[in-house]
Amino acid sequence: MGANMARRLKDVGYPIAAVYDVRADAAKALAEELGAEATTKLARVTELSDVIITVVTDDKAQLAVFTNKKDNLLMGAKGRTFVNCATIAPQTHIEVEKLAKKAGAASLEGCMASSITQARSGTLYLMIGGNEAVFEKVKPILTQLSDEGKLMTYIGKAGKAAQVKALVNMVMNINTAGLAEGLGLGSALGVDLPILMKVFSQTGANSRVLATDGEDMLNRDHSCFFSAAHAAKDSGIALRLAKEQKLTVPLAAAAFAQFTRMVKAGLGELDKSGIAELTFKGRGPKKKPAAKKPAAKKKPAKKK
């Protein structure tokens, strides 16, 4: 995601000063492509840049890039603006905003509801959280990532965009799990699946995931655009929010259980469409045969 966002911004005229990634070879290749510096230090990214966009995997990684005592993005960060795009807990975004403010910098949530294709074409759906004045300052950049701003919504103060993103992914994951069950049962019943998908698309069973994941479920093409592991993580965020509000969300819990099952089965790096591997007969991870117990040795009979 981060690489394609950088490519898009380069295309529309923004200089990309620095690239950092824990995979140094990936950072080097992208930096050469974009005419940027592949830094080995987070602080160097901040030194070279006015606006820093972060795309990391989870809460731990997000906090690490801002708090590591040996090297972090807030070293020399006065006057800089950070746009953090990971799907993480709302409280983490609030904490990052506090840390940035203490360092004389600013922080925004730039939660994304799209995939790598949209990152490259500049058609990401962005949900923005944080200080509105900071948003207005960097809005021209974010506009170039969100179809001239048509696909961008300012949600509110820090943490609010992350809450909305958690709800988006919660509902998406429920829909994906439901579609996989519907198609899996249709397959078991011998229904023509392309016809079934056509009927779904013309009735109340229609959904966005039918368009994005339906064919992949039929064809078992689970090239990763949004992994099952991320689906499990994001559903978990929504469940924690529901728990805080003392609200029961059984469908979200069921979807979380299915995606977690994928991860435990070693399918976590498949696209979320891979959840169909759990619902179609004859698919899914093969169970390992139980190990045979060694035959008990017979004790020699005692002579009387």
Side-chain angles (χ1 to χ4, degrees):
M1 291 296 287
N4 273 353
M5 292 165 75
R7 290 183 179 106
R8 165 65 183 173
L9 291 173
K10 177 73 173 180
D11 286 349
V12 297
Y14 283 97
I16 307 302
V19 175
Y20 175 91
D21 196 277
V22 291
R23 300 164 300 159
D25 55 340
K28 183 179 179 182
L30 181 64
E32 289 177 355
E33 177 187 339
L34 301 179
E37 180 177 321
T39 72
T40 57
K41 296 287 185 181
L42 289 164
R44 178 65 173 163
V45 177
T46 302
E47 180 185 348
L48 295 173
S49 312
D50 297 310
V51 177
I52 300 95
I53 298 174
T54 70
V55 188
V56 298
T57 53
D58 54 27
D59 293 77
K60 184 179 178 181
Q62 187 72 82
L63 288 172
V65 298
F66 287 106
T67 62
N68 185 291
K69 291 182 179 180
K70 293 182 179 180
D71 175 42
N72 68 65
L73 291 172
L74 292 180
M75 292 177 173
K78 187 176 180 179
R80 307 300 198 270
T81 300
F82 298 92
V83 182
N84 305 306
C85 300
T87 301
I88 53 178
Q91 189 56 42
T92 301
H93 279 294
I94 294 171
E95 180 64 21
V96 168
E97 184 185 65
K98 289 178 180 177
L99 291 168
K101 189 174 181 180
K102 188 175 180 180
S107 172
L108 285 176
E109 296 160 80
C111 301
M112 303 179 290
S114 308
S115 192
I116 53 177
T117 304
Q118 289 75 37
R120 186 67 184 88
S121 63
T123 54
L124 291 170
Y125 192 95
L126 295 178
M127 291 155 278
I128 308 300
N131 184 285
E132 193 165 5
V134 176
F135 167 51
E136 290 297 331
K137 179 182 176 182
V138 298
K139 191 174 181 178
I141 295 174
L142 300 179
T143 292
Q144 294 297 332
L145 295 171
S146 57
D147 193 17
E148 302 299 324
K150 300 185 193 74
L151 301 176
M152 179 166 60
T153 302
Y154 174 75
I155 305 297
K157 64 182 182 179
K160 286 299 178 184
Q163 289 177 351
V164 171
K165 176 60 191 299
L167 297 178
V168 168
N169 282 13
M170 180 186 83
V171 173
M172 177 182 71
N173 292 341
I174 290 170
N175 286 341
T176 306
L179 177 62
E181 291 189 6
L183 293 176
L185 180 54
S187 176
L189 293 171
V191 176
D192 183 290
L193 294 186
I195 290 177
L196 180 60
M197 285 180 55
K198 178 182 177 182
V199 173
F200 280 176
S201 72
Q202 296 172 340
T203 61
N206 195 19
S207 69
R208 178 64 183 157
V209 294
L210 176 64
T212 59
D213 292 12
E215 291 286 347
D216 292 341
M217 289 181 180
L218 266 59
N219 299 329
R220 304 185 75 176
D221 179 6
H222 307 308
S223 302
C224 192
F225 290 86
F226 182 77
S227 73
H230 277 97
K233 171 182 69 74
D234 296 353
S235 288
I237 293 172
L239 286 177
R240 289 193 294 275
L241 291 174
K243 186 177 181 180
E244 289 169 6
Q245 298 301 316
K246 297 181 172 57
L247 190 67
T248 302
V249 284
L251 296 181
F256 172 71
Q258 280 291 79
F259 284 112
T260 300
R261 184 181 161 202
M262 285 186 68
V263 174
K264 289 181 177 178
L267 304 178
E269 295 311 307
L270 295 182
D271 188 78
K272 66 183 174 66
S273 64
I275 197 170
E277 298 302 305
L278 305 181
T279 62
F280 278 65
K281 279 187 174 181
R283 295 192 187 182
K286 303 298 181 184
K287 291 184 179 180
K288 293 181 180 178
K292 292 183 179 180
K293 292 182 179 179
K297 293 181 179 179
K298 292 183 179 180
K299 292 182 179 179
K302 290 182 179 180
K303 292 182 180 180
K304 291 184 179 179

